[in-house]
Amino acid sequence: MALLSKKDANLIKDPLADNNPITIQVLGICSALAITAELKASVVMAISVLFVMGVGNVVISLIRNIIPSKIRIIVQLVVVAALVIIVDQVLKAFAYDLSKTLSVFIGLIITNCIIMGRFEAFALGNGPRRAFLDGIGNALGYGVILVIVGFFRELLGSGTLFGMKVLGDPIAKTGLYSIGYENNGFMIIPPAALIVVGIIIWVQRSRNRELIEEA
Amino acid sequence: MLEHLELFFRSIFVDNMVFAVFLGMCSYLAVSKKVSTAVGLGAAVIFVLGVTVPLNWLLDQYLLQEGALVWLGPEYADYDLSFLSFILFIATIATMVQLVEIVVEKFSPSLYNSLGIFLPLIAVNCAILGGSLFMQAREIPNIGLALNYGISSGIGWFLAILAIAAIREKIRYSKVPAPLRGLGITFIITGLMGIGFQSFGGMLTGDNEPPEQTQTTTAETQEEKEIKKEIEDKEKAISYNEAINK
């Protein structure tokens, strides 16, 4: 991180752990949970949000002095929607199957609270360079949780990672399956994502006691 | 009529906005600390979904879909504007929310006082945009069903936030492990509620179960029935024999 001053580096580091958008700020959960049954979808979603957040934060930060504050929500929505359309079209062109799996959840990046939240809280008050770093940091923090949840759900639920059978073949009974291991079908169904995120929050807060909420 | 009923119950219970597709989670988690505010937000969501889904259905049908512009003239039949749907839907939602806020403030100040603060929040609630996008993805055939879909998914969301708010009010008196307090336990409760709602899956047509499984179970039950019959017959025969012997 020689290129960045300490203050700038913190913009990226903070959202990764102590100020994570999902587990601490409680933003952007809507689209985070439904698509995490497979690791591949999680990674693509994380990259899409990274792109939208990075570019969106810079755009908003560049035009922040000419946006009338009364209509800023609409302006922000238009910027995000335009970026999301680009992501959606690119996915449809180059990864059609994946864009079918993600279906409406790519569109729902528009209303992902992380993006609006960071526009409001950061990009409107800071220069483009810092806004870019903040966007990248928060998108990475979001992506980290997505990938962790996706990893556990795919590994425990289907015994695969990125579609590769890492635990052996359940039908031919090789690898772990030969000693009686079974896939946990529970991890595939949507509510399991909530429980995995709940456990991540639990682990994170027991390691860092300052984050515990008042009763 | 039957399809209306089916869509109604399906959107409330089976495809519940919160438990099946996780839409509107941000406000669901943020505004569910008290039942009274949860009711206010839930009512606003039903209302806005009921307005925006039919409106976006009209937009989708007469502007965005492939060949939708044919009413302008035959030379427009090849146009496919569906890539614009995100921006158009979100613009409709934002303007409708603003419009509804102005109208409600003018004509019903009491309703405005109870809904008012939540209306602007709703413009960026994923449940609203999600409702329109799912309406488009599921190709809902007519405007009546679109209205039905909007209102019933709103009711589903309302039920979910009402339930979690009631549970959170009660759980304040329980001893939750300190690191789980607040957000963590809410996530886990929602997960458990979601698993509960999964059991509504086979409620309507039962088409969510894989057909093979049902076949094997019916085969099993048939076998069981036959075995039971045999046992009963034998018992009957035995008791008959005993009766004769006496």
Side-chain angles (χ1 to χ4, degrees):
Chain A
M1 289 273 171
L3 280 172
L4 304 168
S5 68
K6 204 175 175 193
K7 216 170 142 198
D8 286 351
N10 277 344
L11 283 177
I12 289 193
K13 253 191 288 173
D14 268 357
L16 283 181
D18 290 348
N19 198 17
N20 190 284
I22 292 187
T23 60
I24 310 296
Q25 303 174 38
V26 206
L27 294 175
I29 296 152
C30 329
S31 53
L33 299 174
I35 44 91
T36 48
E38 287 169 31
L39 195 52
K40 202 169 156 196
S42 315
V43 171
V44 170
M45 190 70 178
I47 294 171
S48 313
V49 170
L50 188 72
F51 168 76
V52 175
M53 286 263 344
V55 179
N57 251 3
V58 171
V59 171
I60 292 291
S61 165
L62 282 174
I63 58 174
R64 69 183 187 277
N65 293 326
I66 51 170
I67 307 176
S69 71
K70 272 194 172 173
I71 60 157
R72 65 175 196 284
I73 302 269
I74 302 266
V75 174
Q76 289 165 5
L77 282 176
V78 170
V79 170
V80 186
L83 289 169
V84 170
I85 288 175
I86 296 173
V87 170
D88 187 48
Q89 296 293 317
V90 169
L91 273 184
K92 271 189 186 144
F94 295 105
Y96 188 73
D97 292 340
L98 213 57
S99 93
K100 276 276 165 260
T101 331
L102 291 171
S103 69
V104 303
F105 291 99
I106 288 291
L108 288 171
I109 297 178
I110 298 173
T111 46
N112 193 326
C113 339
I114 288 185
I115 293 177
M116 298 300 283
R118 291 329 290 175
F119 282 3
E120 283 283 300
F122 202 89
L124 280 176
N126 287 284
R129 190 180 127 85
R130 283 169 59 79
F132 179 70
L133 292 175
D134 180 76
I136 297 290
N138 275 285
L140 284 177
Y142 170 87
V144 163
I145 300 290
L146 234 66
V147 169
I148 294 176
V149 177
F151 175 81
F152 282 112
R153 282 184 74 191
E154 191 176 347
L155 185 69
L156 300 177
S158 338
T160 55
L161 286 176
F162 291 111
M164 284 185 297
K165 297 183 173 117
V166 287
L167 295 183
D169 196 329
I171 297 160
K173 299 273 180 216
T174 58
L176 261 185
Y177 297 97
S178 59
I179 54 168
Y181 175 80
E182 290 283 342
N183 282 330
N184 185 357
F186 169 74
M187 298 305 281
I188 298 288
I189 63 173
L194 284 163
I195 293 176
V196 175
V197 175
I199 292 170
I200 293 175
I201 293 174
W202 191 359
V203 172
Q204 191 184 15
R205 292 190 182 182
S206 26
R207 286 168 56 117
N208 189 347
R209 294 252 149 199
E210 285 168 16
L211 300 172
I212 292 174
E213 285 177 43
E214 301 274 319
Chain B
M1 193 60 220
L2 202 62
E3 56 181 348
H4 273 277
L5 261 183
E6 185 176 333
L7 183 71
F8 186 73
F9 284 109
R10 176 170 287 276
S11 350
I12 292 182
F13 294 112
V14 184
D15 294 332
N16 186 290
M17 278 276 183
V18 174
F19 298 127
V21 282
F22 306 111
L23 295 182
M25 285 299 285
C26 308
S27 25
Y28 170 86
L29 291 169
V31 197
S32 62
K33 286 195 178 112
K34 276 172 68 186
V35 170
S36 52
T37 45
V39 170
L41 184 67
V45 166
I46 298 181
F47 188 61
V48 175
L49 265 174
V51 175
T52 54
V53 171
L55 214 65
N56 281 336
W57 185 86
L58 287 175
L59 273 179
D60 186 44
Q61 213 69 15
Y62 295 109
L63 205 60
L64 296 172
Q65 271 182 10
E66 195 174 356
L69 286 171
V70 78
W71 54 272
L72 275 178
E75 68 270 28
Y76 291 97
D78 293 339
Y79 283 70
D80 180 6
L81 296 180
S82 54
F83 67 94
L84 283 176
S85 46
F86 294 155
I87 210 160
L88 220 55
F89 283 179
I90 196 73
T92 316
I93 288 166
T95 35
M96 274 319 294
V97 168
Q98 204 90 71
L99 207 68
V100 164
E101 200 184 342
I102 294 168
V103 170
V104 170
E105 188 182 11
K106 178 88 182 159
F107 291 105
S108 169
S110 62
L111 184 66
Y112 181 76
N113 284 335
S114 53
L115 290 189
I117 41 168
F118 299 116
L119 282 173
L121 262 180
I122 281 179
V124 286
N125 186 329
C126 358
I128 310 293
L129 181 65
S132 292
L133 289 176
F134 269 119
M135 174 273 299
Q136 191 191 31
R138 288 178 190 164
E139 293 168 358
I140 288 187
N142 61 51
I143 192 164
L145 282 174
L147 177 70
N148 182 341
Y149 179 71
I151 289 178
S152 50
S153 10
I155 294 175
W157 200 87
F158 177 84
L159 275 184
I161 194 167
L162 193 64
I164 194 74
I167 293 176
R168 282 181 85 171
E169 275 195 2
K170 289 282 174 207
I171 213 164
R172 224 172 289 154
Y173 306 109
S174 323
K175 264 196 169 170
V176 179
L180 265 182
R181 228 180 271 147
L183 189 61
I185 197 72
T186 312
F187 265 101
I188 290 178
I189 292 171
T190 311
L192 295 177
M193 285 161 79
I195 293 170
F197 265 69
Q198 290 262 313
S199 57
F200 286 115
M203 183 178 71
L204 292 171
T205 48
D207 56 1
N208 285 8
E209 286 175 42
E212 288 171 325
Q213 214 175 342
T214 52
Q215 274 176 6
T216 52
T217 49
T218 49
E220 273 176 16
T221 49
Q222 272 180 357
E223 276 180 2
E224 278 175 13
K225 270 182 191 168
E226 279 170 12
I227 294 169
K228 268 186 190 170
K229 250 189 186 174
E230 277 177 24
I231 294 172
E232 277 174 15
D233 287 347
K234 275 181 188 169
E235 279 177 354
K236 268 183 195 168
I238 292 168
S239 57
Y240 184 70
N241 286 342
E242 279 178 357
I244 288 176
N245 287 343
K246 274 177 187 172

